[in-house]
Amino acid sequence: MTPMSSRLTRMVQTSLTIKVFTICFVSVHVPLLVFIAYLAGGYAAKAEPVLLLLLGATVAGTAICLLSLWWMIRPLRQLAYAIRNYRANGTPVRVQVTSKDEIGLLASTVTDMVAETEALMTKLRHQAMTDLLTGLGNRRWLNERAAEELSRAERQGEPLSIIVLDLDRFKGINDGHGHETGDRVLVATGEIVRTCLRSYDLAARIGGEEFCILLPRTSLDEAESIAERLRTTLAATTVPPLRQGRMTASFGICAASAGDRLPDMQLRADFALYEAKRDGRNCIRRAHDSNADEAIASATLAPVKTPSPVNGTHIL
């Protein structure tokens, strides 16, 4: 193929204008071309056969034009259908485009832009639901997932428990060793939480040094075993320049009752956490149903990280 013919072929492939012009030009002149071919064949130019021939050629030329244009704009229809589905139900935009003209460029560009936008939105949704320091979920994420898990547990009659843990004397770590050390302690805690939990457990950092773990299909006894594993692992972990045993946490655990919401469970678990702080820290305390009223009554008087509702002494 000569360079000139190659250049012309590339122009035809990449130019929608040339394609449309060529199709329209050929389609309009089909009757003329057929009539010339008819006369060149030596047929007599009688009125009736010529009229029928021109009519058939006109219909054929029109059909060729419409079908060609229909085929050319097919990617636009596919793109519009894919975008409509994407807006309706989030189905990814997938359009196979082989043409290299402006329509093909538009379809492929829009497909790529929608894919990039979806990837960015997925990243933003992940960031909105994730604690960036520890990599665990955040309070918003836990609230959404907890509603689903509590509903499923009540529907299927399965136990569900939560663990609330708070690092002991964390303010002293920040004040004595700097916030960078404090951040390393939080990161190490997040890693320990991930390592000690099962694949279906849900963990989130819900405050400065406070974490909440939702345990589906888990009784209070099983939750206590998991909390003990976390407690001993934390106590055995060293984050320089802290000495071993300085990185500890106090735990409150609570089992779901009928009709419970996550804030209800967290309130009872927080009260058990206060008891763990009062009893010397680095220990686990259970929330019992008998403590529920007391926890609710004390919530307005002693939120987390304030003086204990038990004896008024600062216990963190």
Side-chain angles (χ1 to χ4, degrees), residues 62-79:
T62 302
I64 292 172
C65 181
L66 293 176
L67 288 174
S68 299
L69 293 176
W70 174 85
W71 182 261
M72 286 175 56
I73 65 174
R74 188 167 55 95
L76 289 180
R77 290 194 306 276
Q78 295 174 342
L79 180 62

Side-chain angles (χ1 to χ4, degrees), residues 238-272:
T238 302
V239 175
L242 303 179
R243 59 176 175 77
Q244 185 174 358
R246 176 62 181 86
M247 185 173 141
T248 63
S250 301
F251 295 76
I253 61 175
C254 174
S257 302
D260 264 348
R261 298 176 301 116
L262 181 62
D264 303 326
M265 298 181 66
Q266 286 178 321
L267 192 59
R268 299 200 301 274
D270 277 343
F271 193 86

Side-chain angles (χ1 to χ4, degrees), residues 6-303:
S6 176
R7 191 177 300 112
L8 288 174
T9 301
R10 188 164 55 252
M11 288 177 60
V12 171
Q13 290 177 340
T14 58
S15 175
L16 179 65
T17 302
I18 293 177
K19 288 181 179 180
V20 172
F21 176 81
T22 302
I23 291 171
C24 292
F25 180 84
V26 172
S27 300
V28 167
H29 290 85
V30 165
L32 177 60
L33 296 175
V34 171
F35 183 62
I36 292 174
Y38 178 81
L39 294 179
Y43 298 100
K46 295 181 180 180
E48 186 175 349
V50 169
L51 289 175
L52 291 174
L53 180 66
L54 292 176
L55 178 61
T58 300
V59 172
T62 302
I64 292 172
C65 181
L66 293 176
L67 288 174
S68 299
L69 293 176
W70 174 85
W71 182 261
M72 286 175 56
I73 65 174
R74 188 167 55 95
L76 289 180
R77 290 194 306 276
Q78 295 174 342
L79 180 62
Y81 178 77
I83 291 177
R84 187 162 56 247
N85 282 345
Y86 172 74
R87 295 186 63 185
N89 50 39
T91 303
V93 176
R94 297 286 185 268
V95 179
Q96 298 295 329
V97 181
T98 56
S99 61
K100 301 177 181 179
D101 56 23
E102 291 86 345
I103 290 180
L105 177 62
L106 175 64
S108 60
T109 300
V110 171
T111 300
D112 292 342
M113 289 178 63
V114 171
E116 292 171 3
T117 301
E118 182 62 25
L120 178 61
M121 292 300 296
T122 299
K123 181 179 179 180
L124 292 175
R125 281 193 293 267
H126 176 73
Q127 291 178 350
M129 297 291 186
T130 304
D131 175 62
L132 298 182
L133 182 61
T134 63
L136 300 176
N138 58 18
R139 183 184 293 272
R140 177 182 176 185
W141 172 81
L142 185 65
N143 287 338
E144 292 186 4
R145 294 298 307 275
E148 301 171 4
E149 290 296 333
L150 283 166
S151 176
R152 184 193 59 77
E154 187 167 358
R155 187 170 58 251
Q156 298 180 5
E158 296 177 344
L160 184 145
S161 301
I162 67 167
I163 299 172
V164 174
L165 68 97
D166 188 276
L167 295 175
D168 295 327
R169 298 187 176 93
F170 184 74
K171 185 177 184 300
I173 295 176
N174 278 335
D175 293 344
H177 302 279
H179 289 276
E180 183 178 351
T181 300
D183 286 348
R184 291 204 303 272
V185 169
L186 292 172
V187 170
T189 302
E191 185 60 32
I192 290 170
V193 167
R194 273 191 297 270
T195 302
C196 292
L197 297 185
R198 302 160 298 187
S199 60
Y200 53 84
D201 295 330
L202 308 175
R205 180 186 174 205
I206 59 173
E209 65 268 25
E210 188 174 10
F211 298 78
C212 183
I213 303 167
L214 190 93
L215 304 170
R217 304 192 291 277
T218 305
S219 66
L220 195 60
D221 289 338
E222 293 169 327
E224 186 169 11
S225 297
I226 295 173
E228 178 62 20
R229 185 162 67 246
L230 287 167
R231 188 193 67 78
T232 55
T233 304
L234 282 168
T237 300
T238 302
V239 175
L242 303 179
R243 59 176 175 77
Q244 185 174 358
R246 176 62 181 86
M247 185 173 141
T248 63
S250 301
F251 295 76
I253 61 175
C254 174
S257 302
D260 264 348
R261 298 176 301 116
L262 181 62
D264 303 326
M265 298 181 66
Q266 286 178 321
L267 192 59
R268 299 200 301 274
D270 277 343
F271 193 86
L273 174 63
Y274 290 136
E275 292 183 346
K277 294 286 188 180
R278 181 199 61 187
D279 292 342
R281 304 180 182 87
N282 190 25
C283 60
I284 303 165
R285 292 295 179 265
R286 295 185 175 206
H288 302 285
D289 291 339
S290 59
N291 292 337
D293 293 338
E294 188 179 359
I296 293 172
S298 66
T300 57
L301 300 175

